[in-house]
Amino acid sequence: MTTGVLRLSDVIVPEIFVPMTRRLAVERTALITSGAMVADPLLDNFLAGAGLTVNMPKLNGLDRQDVENISSDDPTVFSTPNKPSMGSEIAVRLSRNNSWSQMDLVRSLMAADPLAALANDVANYWAYRRQRAVIAQVSGIFADNAAAPSGQEHVANDMTRDISGASYTAGVTDFNGGAFIDALVTMGDAMGGIALVAMHSIVYASALKKNLIQFRLDSEAQPTIPTYMGKDVTLDDSMPTPSAGVFETWLFGRGAITYGTGSPDVPNEVLRIPGAGNGGGQETMWDRVEWAHHVPGTAYVGTPPNGGPTNAATTNNLAAATSWTRIAKDRRQIPIARIVTREFAAA
């Protein structure tokens, strides 16, 4: 019979542990499972190589305002072809890691299946952190959209419907159907592509109290999936709250964000330090990820540090307005919109 203390190094075989945790993390990232984020092999290939950013030349859509020609039978009259414009979208690499000691992970190691328990813990952590990174990036894109444009980059706030006002007024500043439709209308005739609503739980509770939320059946025929006006709803309390009582609700189309997942040279490792704990010894596990997230029609224009930008709203980082610019000429090519509401009076 085997005796002794179960250690991290006894449980973790990187060739098994890393694919397991990465798969579980994808399955538990709400924006991915909802379809708002879709995998992009181009970003996977970028992460497999070198460089902090990747340029993705993009052929802009045809200008629908170009007037068509009137055909004639005059052989001396020739049409002048229009020239589609080009843009260059840019995505940025995010290299992230964290470490945990054996004491941090003692609950997982005591489980009946310690490998599965540990993989679940790490996957849940990375799913949450990945969604936080995406929310920071989209926050930066909205911040850029709210700023005065340089040239004809965009119309300020043409992706946002803000009804928060200066103070709370029930039925006016809180989440409501009129504001939701106004946010959809920022997409023009492309509004039908919106399929997902991301809400803070406070906004969701407000909508529930007004009987605005309905439920559709899940894969087991149970009414567990919340919807609003036919759009799936996902809850995330890391959604931006600009000030007390003020909340942002975001609308996404299918595939509004593309993502890539890479593998660092050493994605996972365990180190034992015999002298730690006054000679009692300690094991520490490091886990590393490589991500890229891209909103088609936008470009990262910051100067990324090694390891990529942080989630902060400071220079060159993901939530900063100055880190992003719109490349798409037509607002409707970016299937994302935002509602800003005030749900209660500040104390």
Side-chain angles (χ1 to χ4, degrees):
M1 178 178 178
T2 302
T3 61
V5 177
L6 182 65
R7 297 173 176 170
L8 288 172
S9 53
D10 297 326
V11 173
I12 296 174
V13 178
E15 293 79 7
I16 299 173
F17 182 78
V18 171
M20 181 185 295
T21 56
R22 301 303 180 259
R23 174 181 58 79
L24 290 172
V26 166
E27 292 173 356
R28 294 169 187 182
T29 303
L31 289 175
I32 294 177
T33 56
S34 70
M37 292 176 63
V38 296
D40 185 346
L42 176 63
L43 293 177
D44 289 342
N45 291 337
F46 154 59
L47 292 172
L52 293 174
T53 60
V54 57
N55 289 279
M56 298 175 286
K58 177 181 176 62
L59 181 65
N60 291 322
L62 300 180
D63 187 348
R64 295 188 292 180
Q65 301 305 314
D66 284 342
V67 178
E68 69 278 12
N69 299 317
I70 303 298
S71 303
S72 76
D73 60 357
D74 187 344
T76 65
V77 177
F78 291 87
S79 65
T80 301
N82 296 305
K83 181 180 180 181
S85 61
M86 296 287 293
S88 183
E89 300 180 1
I90 303 173
V92 63
R93 180 190 300 266
L94 305 178
S95 299
R96 306 282 174 93
N97 75 84
N98 210 337
S99 60
W100 298 272
S101 70
Q102 184 175 4
M103 287 78 84
D104 295 332
L105 301 169
V106 66
R107 180 185 62 82
S108 297
L109 291 175
M110 293 175 65
D113 185 346
L115 176 61
L118 189 55
N120 276 315
D121 278 351
V122 175
N124 287 336
Y125 172 81
W126 284 128
Y128 177 77
R129 297 310 306 172
R130 184 167 210 166
Q131 189 136 314
R132 287 296 300 267
V134 172
I135 287 172
Q137 179 168 333
V138 177
S139 293
I141 291 168
F142 278 129
D144 168 64
N145 180 244
S150 55
Q152 297 183 344
E153 175 199 353
H154 63 260
V155 175
N157 272 324
D158 64 356
M159 299 168 68
T160 297
R161 172 60 172 151
D162 187 343
I163 61 168
S164 60
S167 60
Y168 173 69
T169 303
V172 177
T173 66
D174 45 11
F175 183 85
N176 60 72
F180 184 83
I181 293 171
D182 288 343
L184 284 176
V185 170
T186 68
M187 288 288 301
D189 57 10
M191 70 174 76
I194 295 295
L196 174 74
V197 184
M199 290 181 174
H200 191 283
S201 61
I202 295 295
V203 179
Y204 180 74
S206 173
L208 273 177
K209 292 174 183 177
K210 298 171 188 173
N211 293 318
L212 299 178
I213 302 295
Q214 296 181 319
F215 295 87
R216 67 176 179 86
L217 302 181
D218 60 20
S219 59
E220 297 180 354
Q222 298 300 312
T224 62
I225 301 174
T227 68
Y228 180 69
M229 290 195 184
K231 321 296 184 186
D232 286 358
V233 174
T234 184
L235 302 185
D236 193 324
D237 281 350
S238 60
M239 290 292 293
T241 55
S243 60
V246 177
F247 298 85
E248 294 187 9
T249 298
W250 294 353
L251 287 57
F252 295 95
R254 300 287 182 195
I257 304 167
T258 61
Y259 72 90
T261 303
S263 180
D265 290 340
V266 183
N268 181 280
E269 61 184 320
V270 175
L271 174 67
R272 178 167 176 77
I273 305 175
N278 198 28
Q282 176 181 329
E283 286 188 321
T284 300
M285 179 186 74
W286 279 265
D287 204 56
R288 306 177 181 93
V289 296
E290 295 267 335
W291 299 326
H293 308 125
H294 179 57
V295 176
T298 68
Y300 175 80
V301 292
T303 302
N306 290 332
T310 72
N311 294 353
T314 51
T315 302
N316 296 320
N317 291 314
L318 291 179
T322 53
S323 294
W324 305 98
T325 191
R326 184 190 293 179
I327 300 300
K329 301 301 182 185
D330 190 335
R331 154 74 183 103
R332 294 168 294 189
Q333 294 177 326
I334 304 179
I336 296 175
R338 173 176 65 165
I339 309 167
V340 184
T341 60
R342 188 180 298 273
E343 300 298 324
F344 53 83

